Amino acid sequence: MGCAGTKIQKVEHVQAILFFRSMNTELITRFSSLFSAKKFKQGQYIFAQGERGVHFYVIAEGTVDITVNEAEKPKLLCTKRKGDFFGDTALNFQCGHIHFRDVNAVAGTFCSLLILSQAKFRDFLLKVPIALQHQITTYTTLDVQKVLRSIPLFSSLPVDKVKLLSHLFRYISVKEGEDIFQEGEVGHSMYIVADGLVCPHVGRTDSVERLKLTDHDMGPGSYFGEIALLMGVPRTATVSATADSLLLQLCKIDFVHFMELVPQAKDQLKSLLSERVASLFRKFHIPFFAALSRDKFSELCREFTIVEVEAGQPVVRQGEVGDKFYLLAHGCLRVEKDGTAVGEISPGQYFGEIALVTDKKRAASVSAHVRSVVLALDKERFRSFFASNPRAWADFALKLSREKAPLVAVLLHPAGRVYFEKHVLDEFSSENLEFWKEAGHFEALPANKLAAEGKRLLEVYIAPGSPHMVNIPSSDVKIITQAVECGRVTSSTFKAARNEILKLMSTDSYKRFKKSAMFTELLQTVGSYDSGQTDEALRSSEIERKLDMHSSEKFSLKKNLLPSQVAQLSELLEEAKKKTQHSKSATMDFSSINVKSMLGLQRQASKSFSTDLPSVSGAVTQDLSVSSGKTSSRQSKKYSKLPA
């Protein structure tokens, strides 16, 4: 039978099973003798789905794959390893009905199993003291599926899927006073209290110094650590047993397999993620999401994805076009410009927000300094979120990116369009804007009106000698003319021409508009996400323009400085610029800025405002300016971890 079949080995394996730990040495020895040992080759079935379940199994060596029949072939649900057991429904003979297997058990590797029949277990149990019977049956008759259905995360799953889920859980027994996990440990599992009491707390392991996080202990049906199913972040509290307890443990690696089989579970987890992301953003006061209603905010949070980054792994690279916005949930990120470290990003800080509204290239690279977890929002998901309300997107884009906002944001914003229309009228170049607007209206027309309106647009804006001719490529002119003359006009006939005109205005009229007083008035009208929306913010922007820095070296000025502090900052930047002009470098030399002077400015500003300025050394250029909203340095530490 091999080593697993010896008397001593049997006792050791059986004694390790928490169901039977309460037996004394004599009983456990006698009980272990009831188990038979059997070896299975890799790929050999131990039992198949649909078979009657009358045996309990303990893995002495090797691994066993638990699979479920799906479509053409079985799919992996989880893998059991040495010391694990399965088929425990066979021990619950008091239910009065026959158990049939709802999964397959297949040897994942060569394995040696200890096997106990239901009949032998029943006969043994009837001969032990009543108190011991009660202790053992408390475990063997536990309705895990009922417990799972009481958990909000799993409550909406179909009954058959809850059955599958129950196979993923392992039983964990903890003694009174024992820690289940400790604050700071990286989490990989969630737990459900099946029996007993536990309590979460923070602080040193010395019980005198620990601070309880709940008024009452958590009893049967309570669950904790579920954030570990989402991301591998450190636990934010220690959880200890305040009485001898039985827990159900679900590992992230097994739940990933389950989500592949049950997409509904993935949706449930995504809802949980949405709630956690929303909670995290509220704590960190991300300013440009503050204007959304609670429902829309939660809806947007569902669009975020979790990205786990190992130390040294890049998050974004300098020079690539930005397509995501990031918030650091855990860890530390390093920011580099041209291979030189220029700052760090801490939990609660965000970057890349300009990528949501423009196609600018990243001005710096960001990589993980240590293992980190970031929340990412894709540009396309963000834009589709606002697809039904383009004006809301335009308002967001103007408030967030201001001078860097794309022309389309101005055109979709009610105030922006008024200002820009006045600008092009003053320049006597309104035909491009008029065509862009009318071509947009054309795309929304019903099919029976497309031909007539298409002909009118051709005659007014495109045909040779038309009164308001616009400058589009000859290939587009040819395609449009043929479509109109041949009666093949569709809603997309003018789409390419409209896009060309938008590009033309962006590089021509819009550039001049951004230098005008009207554009400054527009930004004042729209406002911004910066605290205070003060005139000092506009002065900072004006100073930045006057410095006429290289476009890839613009310094991210802080908008909450007082006028006198803005002037001081201007002097410091001018000093850096002069030193740069005398050096061989073609880029702005920020390392030459007097650090003590800059830190002095930071301390003054923090006294004048309720928000702390991020460290100057952590500032990054363009859209990689690290932002922390209204979160102070203290708040950043307080909320640097997600709930356990």
Side-chain angles (χ1 to χ4, degrees):
M1 292 293 180
C3 64
T6 66
K7 182 176 180 181
I8 295 176
Q9 289 290 338
K10 280 186 178 181
V11 171
E12 289 178 353
H13 287 300
V14 174
Q15 196 171 29
I17 300 171
L18 62 90
F19 292 177
F20 315 126
R21 284 181 183 174
S22 53
M23 294 184 190
N24 59 33
T25 304
E26 180 186 351
L27 279 176
I28 198 70
T29 302
R30 182 152 44 101
F31 182 59
S32 300
S33 67
L34 302 178
F35 284 78
S36 61
K38 187 175 180 179
K39 295 179 180 179
F40 293 83
K41 295 179 181 179
Q42 183 178 9
Q44 185 177 352
Y45 270 70
I46 298 159
F47 58 72
Q49 189 171 331
E51 289 182 2
R52 185 176 176 183
V54 292
H55 290 92
F56 170 72
Y57 302 85
V58 181
I59 303 176
E61 292 180 38
T63 63
V64 173
D65 291 335
I66 305 300
T67 66
V68 59
N69 296 333
E70 288 280 331
E72 297 180 356
K73 61 180 182 179
K75 292 188 177 181
L76 179 66
L77 183 60
C78 63
T79 298
K80 303 291 185 180
R81 294 173 174 79
K82 182 178 178 179
D84 289 340
F85 57 84
F86 57 97
D88 42 297
T89 52
L91 303 183
N92 187 6
F93 57 84
Q94 299 179 348
C95 293
H97 65 271
I98 299 173
H99 296 282
F100 291 94
R101 305 295 190 189
D102 51 6
V103 293
N104 306 301
V106 186
T109 62
F110 171 85
C111 63
S112 182
L113 306 181
L114 298 179
I115 306 172
L116 175 67
S117 70
Q118 185 184 83
K120 287 183 178 180
F121 176 68
R122 181 177 59 243
D123 293 343
F124 173 81
L125 201 60
L126 294 175
K127 296 175 184 178
V128 301
I130 298 297
L132 182 58
Q133 278 188 32
H134 177 72
Q135 284 182 306
I136 295 175
T137 55
T138 296
Y139 294 151
T140 60
T141 60
L142 177 66
D143 190 345
V144 176
Q145 295 174 36
K146 182 178 180 181
V147 174
L148 295 181
R149 285 194 293 271
S150 69
I151 306 299
L153 183 58
F154 310 126
S155 60
S156 64
L157 295 178
V159 174
D160 61 326
K161 304 307 180 186
V162 174
K163 282 184 179 181
L164 293 181
L165 181 62
S166 66
H167 291 284
L168 303 182
F169 282 84
R170 290 176 169 85
Y171 294 89
I172 302 293
S173 177
V174 289
K175 297 291 184 182
E176 181 179 354
E178 185 179 344
D179 289 342
I180 296 142
F181 56 69
Q182 293 187 344
E183 183 179 352
E185 292 179 354
V186 175
H188 300 290
S189 305
M190 76 165 285
Y191 298 86
I192 301 173
V193 181
D195 187 47
L197 297 169
V198 302
C199 177
H201 47 80
V202 294
R204 291 173 49 186
T205 53
D206 181 352
S207 60
V208 177
E209 305 235 0
R210 288 184 167 184
L211 175 66
K212 292 181 66 172
L213 297 180
T214 56
D215 294 332
H216 305 286
D217 291 344
M218 300 164 63
S222 301
Y223 62 101
F224 54 95
E226 69 277 10
I227 197 68
L229 300 181
L230 299 170
M231 59 186 85
V233 296
R235 304 290 192 182
T236 59
T238 297
V239 179
S240 304
T242 52
D244 291 350
S245 302
L246 173 66
L247 308 178
L248 298 174
Q249 179 191 38
L250 174 60
C251 296
K252 178 182 178 181
I253 189 171
D254 291 332
F255 193 65
V256 168
H257 292 305
F258 180 73
M259 288 190 294
E260 292 174 356
L261 292 172
V262 187
Q264 188 176 347
K266 194 171 186 177
D267 293 338
Q268 287 288 94
L269 197 62
K270 196 165 186 179
S271 294
L272 174 62
L273 171 62
S274 172
E275 294 171 10
R276 292 303 173 92
V277 171
S279 174
L280 191 67
F281 280 164
R282 290 189 189 101
K283 288 176 180 177
F284 286 132
H285 303 289
I286 308 300
F288 40 84
F289 293 144
L292 295 175
S293 68
R294 192 177 187 88
D295 289 343
K296 289 297 269 183
F297 185 54
S298 295
E299 183 183 339
L300 178 62
C301 287
R302 290 180 63 87
E303 301 300 327
F304 278 81
T305 56
I306 298 170
V307 182
E308 298 187 36
V309 194
E310 298 301 325
Q313 186 178 340
V315 180
V316 301
R317 290 184 172 88
Q318 181 179 345
E320 67 183 10
V321 176
D323 63 351
K324 289 183 178 67
F325 160 73
Y326 297 94
L327 170 75
L328 180 60
H330 161 69
C332 179
L333 303 177
R334 180 191 290 113
V335 185
E336 294 182 345
K337 175 74 175 176
D338 298 326
T340 302
V342 295
E344 290 186 345
I345 299 174
S346 303
Q349 293 183 311
Y350 53 87
F351 60 97
E353 62 273 18
I354 295 299
L356 296 177
V357 292
T358 72
D359 293 321
K360 297 284 185 182
K361 292 182 178 180
R362 302 289 192 189
S365 296
V366 178
S367 59
H369 185 53
V370 296
R371 185 182 179 281
S372 304
V373 178
V374 295
L375 300 174
L377 177 61
D378 181 85
K379 176 191 295 184
E380 294 308 316
R381 288 178 179 271
F382 179 79
R383 288 181 174 176
S384 64
F385 174 79
F386 280 107
S388 61
N389 193 346
R391 289 187 178 183
W393 174 85
D395 188 66
F396 174 93
L398 279 171
K399 286 181 177 178
L400 176 64
S401 47
R402 298 179 67 77
E403 292 87 351
K404 297 186 180 74
L407 173 58
V408 68
V410 173
L411 297 179
L412 292 175
H413 194 283
R417 182 177 291 192
V418 169
Y419 277 106
F420 189 68
E421 282 182 346
K422 187 176 187 308
H423 171 76
V424 295
L425 282 171
D426 290 346
E427 287 194 332
F428 302 102
S429 59
S430 61
E431 66 281 351
N432 286 333
L433 178 59
E434 291 304 316
F435 172 74
W436 184 86
K437 289 194 299 183
E438 292 195 29
H441 294 317
F442 171 84
E443 292 176 6
L445 289 176
N448 62 344
K449 294 185 178 181
L450 291 177
E453 180 61 9
K455 182 180 179 182
R456 188 188 72 81
L457 289 178
L458 176 66
E459 294 172 349
V460 174
Y461 294 104
I462 295 173
S466 55
H468 303 291
M469 183 181 290
V470 294
N471 185 15
I472 61 173
S474 57
S475 57
D476 288 340
V477 174
K478 183 177 180 181
I479 290 172
I480 292 171
T481 302
Q482 288 179 347
V484 172
E485 290 177 351
C486 299
R488 296 196 301 268
V489 178
T490 67
S491 60
S492 61
T493 296
F494 292 88
K495 190 176 185 66
R498 186 172 186 250
N499 290 338
E500 283 296 325
I501 290 302
L502 181 64
K503 290 179 184 178
L504 181 62
M505 289 191 294
S506 297
T507 56
D508 185 35
S509 303
Y510 188 47
K511 276 191 173 181
R512 293 190 295 274
F513 175 62
K514 288 198 289 186
K515 295 178 181 179
S516 69
M518 279 190 285
F519 186 67
T520 302
E521 289 179 24
L522 170 62
L523 294 184
Q524 288 176 320
T525 301
V526 173
S528 73
Y529 291 117
D530 297 307
S531 58
Q533 298 184 36
T534 61
D535 289 339
E536 288 71 42
L538 295 174
R539 289 194 187 94
S540 295
S541 299
E542 188 62 26
I543 289 169
E544 189 174 344
R545 281 199 296 271
K546 287 180 179 179
L547 287 175
D548 192 28
M549 301 175 193
H550 188 279
S551 62
S552 66
E553 291 289 339
K554 285 188 178 179
F555 193 77
S556 178
L557 299 175
K558 302 306 171 188
K559 305 292 193 293
N560 54 348
L561 294 175
L562 294 172
S564 60
Q565 295 164 346
V566 171
Q568 286 179 263
L569 181 58
S570 175
E571 291 174 6
L572 291 172
L573 293 172
E574 286 285 5
E575 180 184 348
K577 184 181 179 184
K578 288 176 182 177
K579 290 187 177 182
T580 300
Q581 291 171 345
H582 292 294
S583 69
K584 295 180 180 179
S585 173
T587 56
M588 190 73 168
D589 180 15
F590 291 109
S591 62
S592 64
I593 295 178
N594 187 302
V595 175
K596 289 185 178 179
S597 299
M598 193 66 84
L599 292 176
L601 271 178
Q602 180 171 340
R603 284 193 291 272
Q604 292 175 39
S606 64
K607 291 178 182 178
S608 304
F609 295 87
S610 59
T611 57
D612 294 338
L613 286 175
S615 170
V616 172
S617 63
V620 190
T621 56
Q622 286 187 14
D623 72 314
L624 285 172
S625 302
V626 179
S627 308
S628 55
K630 297 182 180 179
T631 306
S632 70
S633 57
R634 292 179 182 176
Q635 288 173 317
S636 182
K637 291 178 181 178
K638 181 178 179 183
Y639 299 123
S640 63
K641 304 172 185 176
L642 291 173

